[in-house]
């Protein structure tokens, strides 16, 4: 069963959004690098690369289903942020939005009885649980640290030890 025209359109848009997330996290990485918070910067770079992999997962899927990938423009990320906490709040809100978008795609695939797309999206649904959890845990820790600079210094070191997950 080939992808429907409407599903193809939505999946192409999801590719665009995943690259958009990649771009957003790169902008956050640049913000942290400028502040010499190199652990946070490294973490954000890795996050950005994961988003590019998400985009490519859907890219491959569209092709495997005999569809046509078409690339559209990606949103310009904010160039600056008010604070490290604000960065991670933004990231967390972004992930929450991504999750609901994925859920909408899933509903659409279910309505079309497109089982292959549902199976592919299940991976993303699980991934989003992790993404939301991680970003909100970081927000909570940054709130706890508040204005404590030595706490921020130590947390920067901790996030900097992130290993590439996939
Ligand atoms: Fe993603
Ligand atoms: Fe994500």
């Amino acid at each position: 069963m080939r992808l429907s025209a409407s599903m193809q359109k939505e999946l192409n848009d999801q590719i665009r959004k995943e690259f958009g997330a990649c771009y957003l996290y790169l902008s956050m990485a640049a913000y942290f690098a400028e502040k010499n918070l190199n652990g946070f910067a490294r973490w954000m770079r890795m996050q950005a690369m994961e988003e590019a992999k998400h985009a490519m997962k859907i890219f491959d899927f569209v092709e495997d289903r005999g569809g046509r990938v078409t690339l559209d423009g990606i949103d310009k990320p904010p160039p600056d942020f008010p604070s490290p906490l604000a960065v991670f709040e933004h990231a967390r809100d972004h992930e929450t939005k991504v999750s609901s978008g994925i859920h909408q795609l899933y509903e659409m695939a279910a309505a079309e009885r497109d089982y292959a797309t549902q199976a592919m999206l299940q991976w993303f649904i699980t991934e989003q649980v992790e993404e939301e959890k991680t970003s909100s845990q970081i927000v909570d820790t940054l709130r706890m640290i508040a204005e404590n600079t030595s706490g921020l210094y130590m947390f920067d070191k901790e996030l900097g030890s992130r290993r590439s997950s996939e």
Side-chain angles (χ1 to χ4, degrees), residues 69-80:
V69 170
T70 45
L71 298 177
D72 208 339
I74 54 183
D75 299 336
K76 182 181 170 179
D80 207 2

Side-chain angles (χ1 to χ4, degrees), residues 18 21-22 25 47 50-51 54 91 94-95 98 127-128 131-132:
E18 298 289 347
C22 172
Y25 292 141
Q47 191 63 26
E50 274 202 12
E51 298 300 348
H54 295 169
H94 184 80
E95 291 300 336
V98 170
E127 172 70 11
Q128 282 309 120
E131 297 268 73
E132 283 188 51

Side-chain angles (χ1 to χ4, degrees), residues 21 24-25 28 32 43-44 47 51 78 81 83-99 128 131-136 138-139 142:
L24 173 66
Y25 292 141
M28 292 172 170
F32 284 129
W43 191 95
M44 276 300 175
Q47 191 63 26
E51 298 300 348
F81 301 90
S83 68
L85 173 62
V87 172
F88 279 99
E89 282 172 340
H90 190 130
R92 181 209 47 202
D93 295 348
H94 184 80
E95 291 300 336
T96 310
K97 225 168 57 192
V98 170
S99 299
Q128 282 309 120
E131 297 268 73
E132 283 188 51
K133 183 185 100 179
T134 311
S135 51
S136 50
I138 295 174
V139 166
L142 283 172

Side-chain angles (χ1 to χ4, degrees), residues 45-58:
R45 264 179 188 244
M46 284 180 138
Q47 191 63 26
M49 292 306 114
E50 274 202 12
E51 298 300 348
K53 280 189 204 157
H54 295 169
M56 292 314 294
K57 230 184 225 297
I58 304 169

